[in-house]
Each structure stands twice: as structure tokens, then as C-alpha cells.
Amino acid sequence: MARMPTVPENHVETAYPSRFNDYDRIAEGYTAENETSLLNAYYERPAMLELAGDVTGRRILDAGCGSGPLFHALRDRGAVVTGIDASAGMLELARQRLGTDADLRVADLANPLPFPDDAFDDVIASLVLHYLEDWGPTLAELRRVLRPGGRLLVSVEHPFMSTLMQHMAGEKPTYFETRNRIEEWTMGGQTAQLSFWDRPLHAMTEAFTAAGFRISVISEPPFVPEAREVFPEELREIEPTRTRFLSFLFFVLETESA
């Protein structure tokens, strides 16, 4: 199957030079793509909501909320949601979607978070950690703001995906290294360079456990059934009986109960 464009649900601008991860520049085009894309609307977002389960009354931090599609879905399901993002432009679009009373704050996941200890029942980091070179400080902060027994739900680019792309391009795969990758995206007539950090599965799981999380779920979920009707060309190489493709990897992590 040909590689589909990687369009992260959420994002964070880290301490890279300003030319990287400028979501303010592509905010409107990115949001339009996110609303209806195969990877976001018919795969990643439904999978994350399925993993979240019943969120009625739960205090949830949407870490890297972007323009707020996941925030909106969680709130509709009864959650009390706070959203953070490094892009003021994306947050402005989120306010237009969610209303002026939505709890939205500019915050960078590479820095300490503006919340007290044990502030949330769940944190959702949807397609955001792969922007960070060092997961340690961020995971420690996310662990700090979760209550005992809380959950961290994570989706990231599948660790084998970039290796597969290297192989298909005739390059020597570097799966076991943590390595930087730059992509140029053009959306809404604007172009931005995105900086990603690819790492092997063992590096991910070791970072989670080192931060004090217990891994309860590792998931490679299916896309939703209606995706075949909406995206027949993109999915034509997948046999009708199959409902999965190699794209993202999902984790449900838990903190120890008090």
C-alpha cells in the first residue's frame, strides 16, 4: 500500500529553531484537512475515543489540542476538558469551534505544565509525542498532573513506518536509532517544515515505564467501516476482509492507585 500523508491530530512546538513546526502558518489549512481526512477523521480520532471509553464526568487534559476536534468530541461525551497547545493560531480556531468559555491555554509540552498535581483523571496526547526528542521531562509532567489511578492515552506514528519508508526508498533502515526527520507540508496555500523524532518501540515502552506508568494497552486499531466508501482509492489495496493498515500506534498507560 502506498504511503498516505501523515497528518497529525495534535501537535506541540518544541525547542527547535523557529522555522520548524510553525502551525500558526498552516492553521486554517491544517484544520480543514483534519476535519475529513482518512487518517484523522476515520482512523485516529475514532480509535482514541474508543480507547477512552465512557468519559462522563472525567477531568481530561487534551495535550496538544490543536483546533479542538477531539476536545469537542470528549466534551460531547460528558467530559470536563482542558486543552493546551503551543500554537496560538490553532487555539484561536479551537475557540471558534468550542466557544469562549472553553478552557484553552497556550502551553508547550517541552516545559513544565501550568497545573497542580493530580489535576486530571486522564491525559490524552494524540499524535504529539513524536515531535519531542526527549520524552522524559514531558512524561514526568504528565504523570505529575494525573491523579493516582489516572490514565495517559497516547497515539504516535507507528515506529516501523519510517523504517518501511526508508526501505522502500532504497535507504538503509535505522530502526533502532532515535532519529530526526523533517517533512514539508503545504496546506491552505501555506508551507511549514515539521520536525519529527522517530524511535523504536522499546525506547517508547522504556520511557513510559521510567516515568512511572504501567502499560495496559498497546493497540493497532482498525479504521471505521465507512472509510471504505469515502476513500475507495486510498484503501483499494487493502483486501475487503481487512480493516487495518500500518500508520499509528496507540497506548493506554496507567498510574498507580493511591
Side-chain angles (χ1 to χ4, degrees), residues 169-212:
E171 302 173 6
K172 184 178 180 180
T174 55
Y175 174 77
F176 291 103
E177 301 175 10
T178 296
R179 57 219 179 269
N180 189 227
R181 168 170 51 89
I182 306 297
E183 293 188 4
E184 186 171 275
W185 292 2
T186 298
M187 295 181 172
Q190 299 294 323
T191 299
Q193 289 187 315
L194 284 299
S195 177
F196 302 91
W197 288 91
D198 301 322
R199 70 198 70 219
L201 178 59
H202 77 85
M204 297 181 185
T205 58
E206 288 169 4
F208 294 145
T209 56

Side-chain angles (χ1 to χ4, degrees), residues 117-203:
D117 295 355
D118 307 336
F120 300 101
D121 300 302
D122 300 313
V123 174
I124 295 182
S126 178
L127 297 177
V128 62
L129 291 182
H130 47 227
Y131 290 97
L132 298 166
E133 180 179 8
D134 184 0
W135 285 11
T138 298
L139 290 175
E141 273 295 279
L142 297 179
R143 173 68 183 83
R144 180 185 66 79
V145 302
L146 276 168
R147 67 166 176 81
R151 302 181 301 171
L152 172 59
L153 283 70
V154 172
S155 60
V156 293
E157 292 190 341
H158 199 291
F160 189 66
M161 193 63 186
S162 61
T163 300
L164 177 61
M165 293 304 104
Q166 284 181 309
H167 178 74
M168 293 175 64
E171 302 173 6
K172 184 178 180 180
T174 55
Y175 174 77
F176 291 103
E177 301 175 10
T178 296
R179 57 219 179 269
N180 189 227
R181 168 170 51 89
I182 306 297
E183 293 188 4
E184 186 171 275
W185 292 2
T186 298
M187 295 181 172
Q190 299 294 323
T191 299
Q193 289 187 315
L194 284 299
S195 177
F196 302 91
W197 288 91
D198 301 322
R199 70 198 70 219
L201 178 59
H202 77 85

Side-chain angles (χ1 to χ4, degrees), residues 71-82:
F71 186 124
H72 188 273
L74 291 166
R75 190 175 67 178
D76 280 355
R77 286 162 172 76
V80 179
V81 189
T82 295

Side-chain angles (χ1 to χ4, degrees), residues 15 23 38 46 48 51-52 59 73 85 90 93 101 105 133 139-140 157 209 212 221 224 241:
Y23 273 93
L38 170 61
M48 187 62 81
L51 288 173
R59 302 165 299 161
D85 201 277
M90 295 298 288
L93 294 175
D101 60 337
R105 313 186 193 189
E133 180 179 8
L139 290 175
E157 292 190 341
T209 56
V224 296
T241 57

